[in-house]
């Protein structure tokens, strides 16, 4: 059953298929020990997968659990017809302004690359791109123009926010201290450093100087922004509130990104949330 379920997903790489086999084997074994019948529809349920990741795999790193969750979702969709799995993320054709989020493994890889740039200037450029994109979802021009004076921290709550011309964006806590440190190091001028204002695409020009390992995808502002969007949308934020801090976001963009936002399937929590509990 495990091999058939994994085969149904159509993995292209041997490494990916082997990893999926390990994850699914552990999941199925755990479910069987819990008294679940060896039937794909019974085993591959979103709630059960979340209990496995949050319980049996609680000791694993956040990155490992994210990758394992992704495998179980992909295999669960392929192995069942009745289980309430979210739909497969749709290609972003016709939505060039919206790119799929980076995976947790890719984000980790970008931070490792930022720490190993050849020069201090390149480290600064890449760190600023990551902090302002992943931490606040800024658009390309906003990343270029953001200065230390735009970043403020509220003493009473510790909330760090970026004050833009059209909105205020709270910075994700996991990036706030690093962003404040960048501001302290560069209190004058753009946090990303000086850039050529006469260039047609200055963001791309700055990125070309950065060395990215070949196993990582291209680093772009739209994908950093979409990764931020997918993270923020798991924080119980209301749609009206999200659209205020994100700026211009179309309803179609929300529809396309929805499959990338982790649902609260354990214990049917999403049903209780919908009921106002």
């Amino acid at each position: 059953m495990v091999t058939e379920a994994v085969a149904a997903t159509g993995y292209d790489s041997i490494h990916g298929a082997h990893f999926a086999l390990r994850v699914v084997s552990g999941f199925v074994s755990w479910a069987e020990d819990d008294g679940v019948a060896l039937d794909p529809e019974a085993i591959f349920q979103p709630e059960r997968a979340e209990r496995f990741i949050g319980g049996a795999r609680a000791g694993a790193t956040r990155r490992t659990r994210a990758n394992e969750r992704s495998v179980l979702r992909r295999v669960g969709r392929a192995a069942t017809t009745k289980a309430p799995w979210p739909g497969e993320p749709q290609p972003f054709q016709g939505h060039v302004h919206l790119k799929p989020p980076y995976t947790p493994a890719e984000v980790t890889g970008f931070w490792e690359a930022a720490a190993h740039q050849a020069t201090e200037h390149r480290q600064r450029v890449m760190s600023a791109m990551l902090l302002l994109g992943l931490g606040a979802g800024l658009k390309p021009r906003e990343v270029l123009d953001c200065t230390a004076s735009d970043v403020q921290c509220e003493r009473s709550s510790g909330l760090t926010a970026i004050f833009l011309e059209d909105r205020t964006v709270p910075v994700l806590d996991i990036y706030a201290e690093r962003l404040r440190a960048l501001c302290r190091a560069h209190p004058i001028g753009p946090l990303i450093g000086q850039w050529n204002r006469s260039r047609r695409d200055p963001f791309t020009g700055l990125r070309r100087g950065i060395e990215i390992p070949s196993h990582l995808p291209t680093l772009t502002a739209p994908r950093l922004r979409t990764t931020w969007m997918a993270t923020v949308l798991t924080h119980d934020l209301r749609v009206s509130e999200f659209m205020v801090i994100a700026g211009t976001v179309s309803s179609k963009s929300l529809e396309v990104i929805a499959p990338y936002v982790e649902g609260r399937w354990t214990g049917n929590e999403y049903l209780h949330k919908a009921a106002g509990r």
Side-chain angles (χ1 to χ4, degrees):
M1 187 185 72
V2 169
T3 55
E4 288 178 358
V6 172
T9 64
Y11 276 96
D12 294 326
S13 72
I14 293 176
H15 173 76
H18 283 177
F19 179 69
L21 284 169
R22 291 197 298 272
V23 173
V24 176
S25 294
F27 172 61
V28 170
S29 176
W30 170 84
E32 185 185 22
D33 289 344
D34 202 34
V36 182
L38 283 178
D39 174 73
E41 293 288 352
I43 288 181
F44 291 104
Q45 291 284 328
E47 178 182 347
R48 184 164 290 110
E50 286 299 321
R51 285 200 292 114
F52 173 71
I53 296 297
R57 300 296 297 148
T61 65
R62 181 179 179 182
R63 173 181 173 182
T64 297
R65 284 185 284 116
N67 290 334
E68 292 178 347
R69 178 182 286 109
S70 177
V71 165
L72 293 180
R73 286 180 177 178
R74 180 173 177 178
V75 174
R77 280 193 291 261
T80 62
T81 58
K82 301 176 182 178
W85 290 98
E88 185 76 33
Q90 297 299 309
F92 282 70
Q93 297 177 356
H95 300 281
V96 294
H97 61 289
L98 183 66
K99 303 296 182 181
Y102 291 117
T103 67
E106 290 168 343
V107 170
T108 299
F110 284 135
W111 279 113
E112 292 174 350
H116 292 89
Q117 292 300 302
T119 67
E120 183 177 340
H121 173 69
R122 292 180 181 178
Q123 291 178 8
R124 171 184 176 179
V125 170
M126 188 169 183
S127 295
M129 288 181 176
L130 294 175
L131 288 170
L132 298 175
L134 296 173
L138 299 196
K139 302 169 187 176
R141 186 56 187 239
E142 294 169 342
V143 171
L144 295 171
D145 288 338
C146 186
T147 67
S149 61
D150 297 324
V151 182
Q152 298 181 27
C153 180
E154 187 178 77
R155 292 186 178 181
S156 60
S157 66
L159 175 69
T160 298
I162 300 176
F163 289 79
L164 303 171
E165 290 184 359
D166 63 339
R167 67 193 190 281
T168 300
V169 187
V171 179
L172 293 176
D173 282 347
I174 59 173
Y175 298 117
E177 177 52 39
R178 276 185 282 188
L179 180 57
R180 292 195 295 267
L182 183 67
C183 292
R184 291 192 294 270
H186 305 286
I188 305 299
L191 289 174
I192 203 168
Q194 296 302 317
W195 49 276
N196 188 350
R197 295 182 179 274
S198 64
R199 192 184 184 101
R200 182 177 180 181
D201 187 356
F203 189 94
T204 299
L206 285 171
R207 190 187 61 204
R208 283 176 183 161
I210 296 174
E211 299 172 357
I212 303 292
S214 59
H215 68 276
L216 291 174
T218 303
L219 180 66
T220 69
R223 289 195 69 179
L224 291 173
R225 175 171 164 82
T226 307
T227 306
W228 168 82
M229 290 171 61
T231 301
V232 168
L233 286 171
T234 66
H235 293 172
D236 284 332
L237 206 65
R238 296 177 181 176
V239 174
S240 57
E241 297 165 338
F242 169 73
M243 296 187 78
V244 166
I245 66 171
T248 305
V249 179
S250 69
S251 59
K252 190 63 178 179
S253 297
L254 293 176
E255 178 184 336
V256 175
I257 201 175
Y260 295 97
V261 181
E262 181 182 337
R264 294 168 292 190
W265 316 118
T266 303
N268 287 329
E269 183 181 355
Y270 74 105
L271 297 179
H272 292 272
K273 288 288 186 181
R277 297 184 176 181

